[in-house]
Amino acid sequence: MNLVLAKNETGRALSDSFAIARGRLPGAGKVAEARSVAFEAYERAGLPHRRIEDWKYTDLRALMRELLPLAPAPDAAALTRAATAVKLQAVKGARRLVLVDGVFAPKLSELGGLENGVTVRTLQEVLEAGDAALQTQLFTPDDTNPMVALNSAMMTDGVVIEIANGIVLKQPLQIIHVASGPVPAAMFTRSLLRLGKDAGATLVESYIAADGAKIYQAHDSLVLAIGDNSRLDHVRLVEDGREAFNISSAVVTLGAHAHFNTFGLTSGAAVSRYQATIAFAGEHSRVETNGVNLLNGRQHADTTLLMDHAVPHCASREVFRAVADDRGHSVFQGRIIVRPDAQKTDAKMMTRALLLSDDAEADNKPELEIFADDVTCGHGATTGALDESLLFYLRARGLSEKEAQALLIQAFVGEAIESIVNDHLRELAIAAAQRWLEARA
Amino acid sequence: MSLLEVKNLKVRVEDNEILHGLTLTVNPGEVHAIMGPNGSGKSTLSHVIAGKPGYDVTDGEILFRGEDLLEMEPDERAAKGVFLAFQYPVEIPGVTTWNFLHTALNAQRKARGESQLSSPEFLKKVREVAKSLNIPQDMLKRGVNVGFSGGEKKRNEILQMALFEPAVCILDEMDSGLDIDALRIAADGVNALRSPERAMVVITHYQRLLNYIIPDFVHVMSKGRVVKSGGKDLALELEASGYTQFEDAA
């Protein structure tokens, strides 16, 4: 059997989808060419399945039963529905960039009073009329990952933010992805944030659905380039609809003396995967990446991180907490590569899972590949249930079973949430966790 | 009506019967001491009254103000006014004492149909209570019992007792793990909470604690039964003669 040609239904539907959509996709010439190359890369692999090690726990061939058609550009009704949802999630005081069904919605966005030295454009604009260097950077993500390649081929819109040297943004930037509505559809977005030297910014990404949104597929990717001596604080909150798919990728590079603090919370979507590659390109840089999965029903959430220590004297910390109830399935794959030159690397990874039911599952796969000899690297993982003696103590003090569980779950995820430096963002994450806890009470 | 009535209580844990028909009546304002050797069932009694899972009541009943306590969830019992001071209070990392106390007090108030205390209202109340018991405020900011000494853990139990104002307090081996100074401080806290409406059941292995908390009644437990009851002098008698005589009697 020829494996290249052995596609399942979903695989075939995707190629059709690209053939149909390509005329509508922004960017001609080199961009169109790059799309075709990316699609061919995708086609060679097809939808990832469990026999591919990296996708062992998240078999998209089994989980993504059908590919949905590319979402139409949102109409007035869709924008109205989206606007209501945005109101509930908008961060106060943040510059807001809203993508409705994968398309930038200027009317829902709020960008007033941008500092000099900050430019914000849509992906569509940049693909149609951007400079070649920026377009190339947008295609940087690794096309050996089939879902990244698919995203490269299909990306419709997104935002491209450039922050010049020495500019430190006071207000956070929030990108809100909204799925507007009742028609099943797929969105493909890509955004880029480039921080120059000595710069700073806070980026929030929210994934939500308008009321009444049913099944949809959000395919997103993010390119982050953090210059020397710059700092980026990043929070992503996945609160997609309960029938949604969210397949997101991030490619992050850090210069020297740079700092990246990132936190992700997933409580929404039926199936989600967040795959991030973080590469140290300059010395004395630091990354903290933390995450929380809060799952119930039949939710499946996969976080796959690759920390690439290519240069010496960098530090990374990964703290991950998973809470799974019912038949929820949480996956954490953390790979740390310390390349031969990366002496004095300090890398640590700690994951803990809390299973609230007998049918819940948490898979944890740490992989350390260390090629340098003077490094500190460590990882640890635990899985367990709520401590009965703690539960009884709380109940003996008047808390109901759900209240006692909620307090202990809050404490359990607290360590990961505490890592968010910005008070306002930390509260945002706490509020998202609170919403999940209240929904199960 | 009695506050707490334990009638002919029989309790099993898996295949072992621990309590073989225990009877105890506690009225408002009374302090009862329950003494007995290790394994006599003292802690089992306290756990069953508080509603800890894992115990199988095969016969008898426990009435609290005439209501069937065994039918209630542990949190319902707490809201009605039953308080167990734990022998080994648990540590709860990540939950501040402050947040825990506020959540618990409001949960009890909600169950009783009372209004919720806002953060400032709660702050005022908890500060007053902590001050009256000489408990330093910074204890409230720390994780529940995390890194507390044995004495601090017991004081945290007494702080809760003062805050929740229960009708009946079961003190399970309050003296375990305490040196003599910590014991005196803890006992002072308990004595401050004695009142004509409130009853206390003090469970202890040693007579020493009863030098500080003077009981009205002393009951000796052996092998899952109360084998002798008397006044406070019974404790002194036990101190002199030991438990052996009762083990033979039971």
Side-chain angles (χ1 to χ4, degrees), chain A residues 283-304:
Chain A
E283 298 185 10
H284 300 285
S285 288
R286 179 173 179 89
V287 170
E288 292 112 20
T289 170
N290 304 287
V292 169
N293 279 351
L294 294 168
L295 310 174
N296 56 22
R298 301 183 68 101
Q299 281 180 296
H300 176 106
D302 171 340
T303 300
T304 296

Side-chain angles (χ1 to χ4, degrees), chain B residues 4-7 9 11 19 22 45 48-50 57 59-64 66-72 77:
Chain B
L4 183 71
E5 288 173 273
V6 180
K7 294 181 187 169
L9 188 69
V11 175
L19 299 182
L22 186 139
L45 174 65
V48 173
I49 292 171
V57 176
D59 199 6
E61 59 182 355
I62 305 179
L63 300 179
F64 179 71
E67 283 186 87
D68 185 355
L69 201 63
L70 296 172
E71 281 300 303
M72 298 177 203
R77 303 181 195 197

Side-chain angles (χ1 to χ4, degrees), chain A residues 388-390 392-401 403 407-408 410-412, chain B residues 51-52 73-75 78 83-84 86 90-91 93 95 100 104 107-108 157 160:
Chain A
E388 291 294 335
S389 67
L390 302 193
F392 175 63
Y393 187 77
L394 294 173
R395 297 206 63 196
R397 295 299 177 254
L399 278 72
S400 70
E401 190 173 8
E403 286 168 334
L407 199 63
L408 295 178
Q410 275 176 37
F412 178 77
Chain B
K52 187 174 179 169
E73 293 291 319
D75 44 308
F83 182 90
L84 170 66
F86 282 61
V90 296
E91 298 188 9
V95 178
F100 158 64
Q108 292 192 20
E157 296 292 287
Q160 293 171 45

Side-chain angles (χ1 to χ4, degrees), chain A residues 84-351:
Chain A
T84 311
V86 165
K87 262 187 206 151
L88 298 172
Q89 295 289 319
V91 175
K92 262 188 204 145
R95 267 70 176 256
R96 195 160 69 231
L97 298 146
V98 180
L99 298 159
V100 179
D101 299 337
V103 179
F104 184 69
K107 280 185 182 159
L108 272 54
S109 301
E110 178 59 63
L111 274 174
L114 270 183
E115 287 92 336
N116 284 333
V118 182
T119 59
V120 177
R121 286 178 285 172
T122 65
L123 179 82
Q124 198 169 339
E125 276 175 76
V126 173
L127 290 181
E128 277 167 357
D131 58 76
L134 190 53
Q135 289 180 348
T136 305
Q137 195 171 9
L138 276 163
F139 280 95
T140 305
D142 180 7
D143 282 349
T144 58
N145 183 308
M147 297 316 284
V148 175
L150 178 67
N151 189 278
S152 296
M154 300 286 284
M155 57 183 170
T156 311
D157 208 351
V159 291
V160 177
I161 304 161
E162 291 167 278
I163 298 171
N165 297 343
I167 304 290
V168 177
L169 291 190
K170 287 191 184 69
Q171 294 161 276
L173 292 158
Q174 186 185 19
I175 302 174
I176 306 183
H177 297 259
V178 197
S180 78
V183 183
M187 299 69 119
F188 294 87
T189 48
R190 177 163 298 178
S191 294
L192 178 146
L193 172 64
R194 199 158 69 178
L195 271 175
K197 293 177 181 175
D198 308 308
T202 299
L203 176 68
V204 181
E205 295 181 280
S206 306
Y207 298 84
I208 56 172
D211 213 17
K214 291 280 182 195
I215 186 167
Y216 63 89
Q217 295 164 349
H219 299 262
D220 186 36
S221 60
L222 178 68
V223 180
L224 297 175
I226 305 169
D228 294 349
N229 208 30
S230 288
R231 174 181 178 123
L232 180 65
D233 286 283
H234 174 228
V235 168
R236 63 190 301 276
L237 302 173
V238 178
E239 296 185 271
D240 277 302
R242 297 295 299 244
E243 294 175 59
F245 282 72
N246 184 316
I247 310 293
S248 296
S249 311
V251 176
V252 186
T253 51
L254 289 99
H257 296 277
H259 190 167
F260 180 45
N261 180 294
T262 177
F263 172 87
L265 181 141
T266 299
S267 60
V271 175
S272 65
R273 159 111 164 177
Y274 177 57
Q275 38 186 23
T277 300
I278 300 171
F280 290 96
E283 298 185 10
H284 300 285
S285 288
R286 179 173 179 89
V287 170
E288 292 112 20
T289 170
N290 304 287
V292 169
N293 279 351
L294 294 168
L295 310 174
N296 56 22
R298 301 183 68 101
Q299 281 180 296
H300 176 106
D302 171 340
T303 300
T304 296
L305 301 179
L306 167 59
M307 197 67 71
D308 189 351
H309 284 271
V311 296
H313 297 288
C314 289
S316 62
R317 293 286 178 276
E318 299 172 48
V319 174
F320 194 80
R321 296 280 182 272
V323 180
D325 200 358
D326 306 326
R327 300 176 69 90
H329 185 185
S330 180
V331 178
F332 178 84
Q333 306 188 102
R335 194 165 150 212
I336 298 173
I337 303 177
V338 181
R339 297 192 188 269
D341 290 338
Q343 299 296 359
K344 303 288 179 190
T345 288
D346 175 5
K348 289 189 181 66
M349 176 163 62
M350 182 68 208
T351 66

